Amino acid sequence: MPASPRPHRRPSPGARHTRRLRLAATLATVGVLATAGIVWITGDGEVPLVRERCSATVDGESTSMSPEQAANAATVVGIAVRRGLPARAATIGIATIVQESGMRNLDHGDRDSLGLFQQRPSQGWGTPEQVQDPVFATNAFYDALVEVDGYRDLPVTDAAQRVQRSGFPLAYGDHEPEARLVASALTGYTPGGFSCHLRPVATEVQVGGDEQLTPSAQAVADAAGAQVTTLSPSVVEGAQGRALEYRAEGEDAARTAWAIAAWAVASAGVHPVTEVSVEGSRWSRDASGRGWVPTATGVPGGGVRISVG
């Protein structure tokens, strides 16, 4: 953990307000009409395009975010799962990146602050390149958090502040309600709690097979291995290398499978994930507006299958 980093200035309350997860993106393009989650671009052909959006829903409460924010949230929560940290750590991590960067991997900030957590290279967090790597930055944050005595029982704002040393120490707690929703949905404690409504992706011609993943599927496997699980995937027979399957074991197997599944859906904005199946439920990109739907062909408890375009 860096020694006594200097407090750094945070944006004004008005500027911070614009970063809240609850804010919807504004459609400013002339001739665009948004209704029921669909953006209709008027003109010749009136081509319908999905307005991409992700959401975490727990016990009837929901918060939404862009696919970019969802992918970053998946990294922060997924790494907590991979490291075996409690959901409380994930909540603290999400509340921190909402406050610090609006859940975006920024290439700028106050003084030399950079990245999701606005970590400062001059204060020992790493090189500029490292702190702008979400995986590196998240692990650095958790490395410091687990050194905070009793962090699991501290208020979110206190735990985050002991790591961040911000000039606005009370701001992190403002984001706890949204952070708890995101953490619960992405850790698997709320099965099917995280979903994304995304555009379809074009299927590329790639070489794969029953024993070898396609380059796109391998990229998803590599990302999952760094961000959410230590399990090794198997190649799904007959899927031409476009699908991988994880099998968790033990009493926590079902939750682990749901955490991997939620990570895959939340990361679909940056990876061409086309379908995710887990424990009798399926998310399909082509029908992503429906969210998770029951399926008789889903993967049994402890297993999750991820298909890639």
Side-chain angles (χ1 to χ4, degrees), residues 79-152:
I79 288 176
V81 172
R82 188 182 188 281
R83 292 175 61 138
L85 299 177
R88 184 66 171 175
T91 296
I92 296 167
I94 291 295
T96 300
I97 66 169
V98 174
Q99 168 60 26
E100 295 289 354
S101 65
M103 299 176 71
R104 294 168 293 156
N105 191 25
L106 300 179
D107 62 359
H108 60 276
D110 179 57
R111 287 178 277 188
D112 61 335
S113 300
L114 296 167
L116 282 174
F117 292 89
Q118 288 290 279
Q119 293 157 334
R120 297 183 60 194
S122 66
Q123 299 301 321
W125 285 103
T127 66
E129 293 76 17
Q130 286 174 326
V131 299
Q132 289 181 89
D133 174 358
V135 174
F136 180 94
T138 300
N139 276 306
F141 176 83
Y142 287 137
D143 286 345
L145 180 65
V146 298
E147 294 298 320
V148 175
D149 188 36
Y151 79 88
R152 301 185 188 200

Side-chain angles (χ1 to χ4, degrees), residues 3-9 111-112 120 122-123 164-167:
S4 303
R6 291 182 298 166
H8 53 275
R9 297 187 302 275
R111 287 178 277 188
D112 61 335
R120 297 183 60 194
S122 66
Q123 299 301 321
Q164 297 294 104
R165 309 292 180 86
S166 170

Side-chain angles (χ1 to χ4, degrees), residues 5 9 15 48 50 54 94 98 104 125-126 148 164 178 187 192 199 213 225 269 286 289 298-299 307:
R9 297 187 302 275
V50 173
C54 299
I94 291 295
V98 174
R104 294 168 293 156
W125 285 103
V148 175
Q164 297 294 104
E178 297 101 318
T187 53
R199 299 184 184 96
L213 293 170
D286 288 343
V299 184
S307 299

